[in-house]
Amino acid sequence: MSSAINTEVVIVGAGPCGLFQVFELGLLGMKAQLVDSLLHPGGQCTELYPEKPIYDIPALPVCGAQELVDRLLQQIKPFHAGMHFGQEVTTVHKRADGRFDVATAGGLTFDAGTVVIAGGVGSFQPKRLGVEGVEAYENSHVFYRVRGAAEFHGKRLVIFGGGDSALDWTLALAEHAQSLTLVHRRAEFRAAPASVARMQELVAAGQMTFVEGTAESLLRNGEAFAGIRIKAADGSLRELAADRVLAFFGLHPKLGPIAEWNLELEKKALKVDTEKFQTSVPGIFAVGDINTYPGKKKLILSGFHEAALAAFAIQHYLYPEKRQFLQYTTTSPVMQKRLGVAEEPAGH
Ligand SMILES: Cc1cc2nc3c(=O)[nH]c(=O)nc-3n(C[C@H](O)[C@H](O)[C@H](O)COP(=O)(O)OP(=O)(O)OC[C@H]3O[C@@H](n4cnc5c(N)ncnc54)[C@H](O)[C@@H]3O)c2cc1C
């Protein structure tokens, strides 16, 4: 593991609790590397309800979910955590020396003093196209996310879904595609009304087609991908020749690799104590929605508290000799220096 990133703490999950964990560790002088399988920070807040207002964050009577994430990112900036997105943590292995080898599906490796699992309800996985044999064509002809729009230009596209992702990509790709068909099981959409209206204009102008129906089976030319067969509401079948299919059916959380790290689980959550928020393996902590203990409530507020206490426990795990005492950000020059807000002494 010569290229492993050496760090005091790896945080698995960059939802609100993982982000705030960076802050609490930073205040105590510890550095963290944050890893998330999604391409952006924010966890459920960003992925599931970015526009919704939250009313139970202390001292913020109302705060948009994405706004909360943006504020947390601003708050943790002084601590310069390493951030790795689009990286699912697949293995966490405790070594004989008490440190941890952590690896991601994308090939990143860490040599970490401790691990904090802030994995929420697990890593979000796209809901797949429910047709036989689709696995063989995923990421070559069938896609659940767009990494680069250009690869879809000039192609015959079929897009599935009725939410914002489906409509946004329909509008973005319609003028660049050779042809584009949007397929949704009904003619009502969850997406923003303005996007739906724009899509209907494109249909009226003959720039794309809308089909009401569901995916029935793949069309193949020998082994080659040739398109998709659609089943309409009345049961009739229709064949759509296509080069690429994009399916936006939303994401569902999956505990995923976390379940395989030999940690004690209770109803798909990691059992922790309420002093350190440590799992059944010393040196591995868990905060936020992923953990459970008597009285646990899956609230952002609870995760913030857990992150503060876990930071002290992590410091003790890494530096058992170090004396611990409580300092206030209001009055502690050391913390203020870490936060980058310390006043320069006069004459400097
Ligand atoms: C619609 C809705 C409304 C809500 N409203 C409120 C509210 O008003 N107030 C409130 O307090 N709470 C609310 N919640 C709950 C709140 O969103 C959660 O409590 C909070 O998001 C938990 O934060 P977290 O950081 O623990 O986990 P999450 O936000 O779930 O983030 C976990 C992150 O870990 C990542 N991850 C998981 N496994 C891996 C892995 N193996 N490798 C890499 N990354 C991984 C995931 O991709 C995800 O980004 C609401 C939830 C929903 C769905």
Side-chain angles (χ1 to χ4, degrees):
M1 280 216 178
S2 55
S3 60
I5 299 169
N6 194 289
T7 181
E8 287 167 302
V9 189
V10 164
I11 302 172
V12 182
C17 302
L19 293 174
F20 196 62
Q21 187 67 72
V22 171
F23 183 78
E24 289 296 330
L25 290 165
L27 279 186
L28 297 184
M30 290 174 284
K31 290 251 179 290
Q33 299 283 328
L34 199 53
V35 193
D36 203 298
S37 47
L38 294 175
L39 294 174
H40 44 72
Q44 292 172 56
C45 294
T46 302
E47 203 57 42
L48 301 181
Y49 58 107
E51 312 269 288
K52 285 203 166 37
I54 306 177
Y55 300 101
D56 58 349
I57 304 297
L60 289 174
V62 56
C63 180
Q66 183 59 51
E67 180 192 350
L68 178 74
V69 173
D70 294 341
R71 284 172 179 269
L72 284 165
L73 286 168
Q74 190 188 346
Q75 193 171 22
I76 67 174
K77 228 178 190 167
F79 302 119
H80 304 290
M83 301 219 182
H84 312 274
F85 296 110
Q87 294 282 346
E88 184 178 45
V89 176
T90 45
T91 55
V92 172
H93 169 71
K94 190 170 185 176
R95 304 196 310 239
D97 65 1
R99 290 182 66 85
F100 295 86
D101 291 326
V102 178
T104 71
L108 284 180
T109 53
F110 300 88
D111 172 351
T114 56
V115 176
V116 178
I117 303 175
V121 280
S123 57
F124 291 102
Q125 312 282 334
K127 288 185 187 150
R128 302 168 73 186
L129 195 66
V131 291
E132 209 190 311
V134 69
E135 310 79 44
Y137 300 97
E138 283 171 341
N139 298 318
S140 59
H141 298 83
V142 177
F143 295 82
Y144 303 114
R145 59 167 66 138
V146 176
R147 288 192 198 276
E151 82 172 278
F152 299 99
H153 291 180
K155 301 273 192 315
R156 296 170 302 166
L157 304 180
V158 175
I159 298 184
F160 284 90
D164 282 318
S165 301
L167 270 285
D168 288 353
W169 281 115
T170 295
L171 300 183
L173 292 170
E175 63 175 298
H176 301 288
Q178 185 185 325
S179 68
L180 192 152
T181 305
L182 176 68
V183 183
H184 185 43
R185 65 192 142 76
R186 53 198 179 123
E188 285 155 43
F189 298 86
R190 271 177 294 113
S195 309
V196 177
R198 178 77 193 120
M199 182 273 291
Q200 284 161 343
E201 279 171 26
L202 292 177
V203 172
Q207 288 178 14
M208 59 167 284
T209 315
F210 171 67
V211 173
E212 209 176 319
T214 53
E216 210 269 334
S217 55
L218 295 178
L219 298 178
R220 294 187 183 90
N221 192 353
E223 284 301 296
F225 182 85
I228 190 139
R229 193 174 285 109
I230 307 295
K231 189 175 188 176
D234 63 5
S236 63
L237 296 177
R238 177 169 175 174
E239 293 190 351
L240 296 175
D243 304 309
R244 298 283 184 274
V245 168
L246 287 149
F248 299 107
F249 297 136
L251 300 160
H252 66 96
K254 196 166 150 243
L255 192 54
I258 296 171
E260 291 150 26
W261 299 341
N262 293 326
L263 303 167
E264 204 177 327
L265 288 165
E266 187 179 294
K267 291 189 187 148
K268 292 190 182 173
L270 296 168
K271 276 180 94 170
V272 292
D273 64 76
T274 50
E275 179 195 352
K276 300 174 177 170
F277 298 94
Q278 188 166 249
T279 66
S280 56
V281 173
I284 304 184
F285 300 80
V287 299
D289 279 12
I290 192 81
N291 75 15
T292 187
Y293 50 84
K296 168 73 183 184
K297 298 286 176 283
K298 289 187 183 184
L299 289 171
I300 296 166
L301 169 77
S302 317
F304 287 174
H305 160 79
E306 293 158 14
L309 266 57
F312 280 96
I314 288 164
Q315 189 185 43
H316 184 68
Y317 182 90
L318 292 173
Y319 309 105
E321 308 302 321
K322 198 174 172 77
R323 268 189 58 230
Q324 289 191 321
F325 53 95
L326 185 75
Q327 297 186 76
Y328 293 131
T329 56
T330 336
T331 49
S332 161
V334 180
M335 283 184 167
Q336 289 173 359
K337 193 153 177 264
R338 288 173 184 150
L339 284 163
V341 296
E343 278 181 30
E344 291 289 322
H348 284 258

